[in-house]
Amino acid sequence: MLDTPFSSRRQRVCILGATGSIGTNTLDVLSRHPEQFEVWALTGASRVDELMAQCRQWQPRYAVMPDETVAQRLRALIADAGLRTEVLSGAQALIDVASHSEVDVVMGAIVGAAGLPPCLAAARAGKRLLLANKEALVVGGALFMRAVEEGGATLLPIDSEHSAIFQCLPEDPAAWAARIDHIVLTASGGPFRQRDPATFGDITPEQACAHPNWVMGRKISVDSATMMNKALEVIEARWLFNLQPDQIRVVLHPQSIIHSMVVCRDRSVLAQLGTPDMRVPIAYGLSWPQRIESGADLLDFTRLNALTFEEADAQRYPGLQLAWETLKGEAGSTCVLNAANEIAVEAFLARRIRFDQIHRVVVQSLSDCRIEHSATETVEGLLDLDGQARRVASSVVAGLAV
């Protein structure tokens, strides 16, 4: 086990995906506790100016970008500013900083399957891994959890729903099975919860990205609108809490105040409540098993008019059921599901397919992909399967392109 963040030495933090929403919220929490944490490495995909601003403020030892051309731009800015931060590039550099012996805490916030290799490396290296990249478990599944166990890592969920479940459970995972009857993941329902599904073909990317409760990136905002994010969270919960698929349920909760619930074997229900602010689960992950100031507003019960719940309509959210179908299906199906969805969402955001065609791309890709059993045994095999699924999905998109 790692030292707690309250040891005599400041904890060194590596943030994978520092310029995204989770990354910037993590830095906000860290800024409130400079005596406890040190930013050791920051990584970003393409936002050079944003990463440069973070390097100027935090002066990490390393900054990493996947593309060398983009990294050269950052390197020049770093040199002009007289900073000592070393700029690295490439997929291996992401793995190297995530697993480095000097790193204590890794925030895994890279969006998509690209986050699997560095998060897997952090797990194998025994880090305190704050997992916001749900695709690491959706794609990696058993392989990822085996790496956590064998590496002696501390895996802490950052998705608000999974953090809520984690906070409602005993600290010892060995006690979970005796406690849980099932869990209930809450979902806001996204921006189209009351919109006529017959009009979904007219939805624009701007409308899909306008989430009513949360401030998120474009891809995850679309996933929230289709409820594919909840499908991925069902898959993630299966691995995080060692549950059977039928032990995981979803309910719409438009206010996003109850973040998820554990239904115990005696039928009592434990719930975690709070304002919809990602700094809460981030702060909990950084400080577990203790708690630190997150910067989030207090929940004011006197201003809550109601807490309501609804069933998720299958016509409105057809992708949600794919979570249980792929979990019960052939090993590797969840990997295909994730890859095909990434391609479909990317095509929708580029206005190449309609919003109501995203589900069609995913379903057709699940049908057309050929999965070899051995593909799920190694990270290389999973990434090959991910690549195959992307090619298949791209072909489906090409046939639908508007």
Side-chain angles (χ1 to χ4, degrees), residues 234 238 243-249 323-324 327-328:
V234 168
R238 178 264 178 274
L243 298 171
Q244 295 302 309
D246 291 339
Q247 288 182 282
I248 308 166
R249 303 175 190 177
W324 292 275
L327 278 173
K328 295 177 181 179

Side-chain angles (χ1 to χ4, degrees), residues 177-184 246-247 249 261-271:
R179 171 75 61 91
I180 301 173
D181 181 81
H182 65 275
I183 67 171
V184 180
D246 291 339
Q247 288 182 282
R249 303 175 190 177
M261 296 168 276
V262 174
V263 180
C264 301
R265 291 185 180 274
D266 63 1
R267 296 301 188 263
S268 60
V269 181
L270 305 177

Side-chain angles (χ1 to χ4, degrees), residues 270-289:
L270 305 177
Q272 187 265 336
L273 286 70
T275 54
D277 190 322
M278 285 306 300
R279 290 177 296 178
V280 174
I282 290 169
Y284 187 67
L286 286 167
S287 62
W288 180 86

Side-chain angles (χ1 to χ4, degrees), residues 84-320:
R84 300 178 63 182
T85 298
E86 182 177 352
V87 179
L88 308 175
S89 67
Q92 185 59 48
L94 291 172
I95 291 172
D96 291 343
V97 295
S99 59
H100 199 284
S101 61
E102 293 186 15
V103 170
D104 301 299
V105 182
V106 175
M107 168 57 77
I110 295 175
V111 175
L116 173 59
C119 286
L120 192 62
R124 287 171 172 164
K127 304 303 181 186
R128 173 182 286 246
L129 176 56
L130 314 186
L131 191 65
N133 172 268
K134 61 176 62 69
E135 291 84 0
L137 282 170
V138 172
V139 175
L143 178 71
F144 192 89
M145 294 307 295
R146 189 161 58 247
V148 170
E149 182 177 0
E150 293 174 354
T154 301
L155 181 62
L156 299 164
I158 298 302
D159 274 349
S160 61
E161 296 81 2
H162 301 96
S163 177
I165 297 297
F166 186 79
Q167 293 182 56
C168 291
L169 291 174
E171 287 185 13
D172 182 6
W176 292 355
R179 171 75 61 91
I180 301 173
D181 181 81
H182 65 275
I183 67 171
V184 180
L185 302 178
T186 59
S188 70
F192 310 128
R193 182 175 59 86
Q194 296 179 312
R195 179 165 174 156
D196 182 356
T199 69
F200 278 12
D202 300 326
I203 290 172
T204 67
E206 291 75 21
Q207 291 170 330
C209 290
H211 195 281
N213 297 338
W214 298 92
V215 177
M216 305 181 293
R218 283 164 61 81
K219 191 268 182 184
I220 194 171
S221 294
V222 176
D223 282 350
S224 179
T226 64
M227 283 272 277
M228 181 55 73
N229 73 317
K230 207 55 54 178
L232 300 180
E233 287 171 11
V234 168
I235 297 166
E236 186 181 7
R238 178 264 178 274
W239 294 109
L240 279 170
F241 306 113
N242 193 26
L243 298 171
Q244 295 302 309
D246 291 339
Q247 288 182 282
I248 308 166
R249 303 175 190 177
V250 172
V251 66
L252 298 189
H253 171 50
Q255 295 81 23
S256 297
I257 297 299
I258 295 177
H259 296 303
S260 279
M261 296 168 276
V262 174
V263 180
C264 301
R265 291 185 180 274
D266 63 1
R267 296 301 188 263
S268 60
V269 181
L270 305 177
Q272 187 265 336
L273 286 70
T275 54
D277 190 322
M278 285 306 300
R279 290 177 296 178
V280 174
I282 290 169
Y284 187 67
L286 286 167
S287 62
W288 180 86
Q290 303 181 51
R291 291 181 184 265
I292 57 175
E293 169 63 34
S294 68
D297 291 335
L298 283 172
L299 185 61
D300 185 350
F301 288 96
T302 65
R303 300 183 66 181
L304 293 179
N305 295 323
L307 298 179
T308 62
F309 305 90
E310 306 167 16
E311 187 175 354
D313 176 18
Q315 182 183 8
R316 188 180 305 277
Y317 308 112
L320 180 59

Side-chain angles (χ1 to χ4, degrees), residues 205 219 222-223 226 228 336-365 389-398 400:
K219 191 268 182 184
V222 176
D223 282 350
T226 64
M228 181 55 73
V336 175
L337 171 72
N338 176 73
N341 179 66
E342 286 190 23
I343 292 297
V345 171
E346 179 183 292
F348 165 68
L349 288 171
R351 305 179 194 274
R352 294 193 289 122
I353 63 171
R354 301 191 309 268
F355 180 85
D356 61 342
Q357 293 176 318
I358 294 174
H359 179 64
R360 190 185 309 181
V361 172
V362 175
V363 170
Q364 190 62 50
S365 299
R390 290 171 189 275
R391 291 190 294 273
V392 169
S394 295
S395 177
V396 177
V397 165
L400 295 174

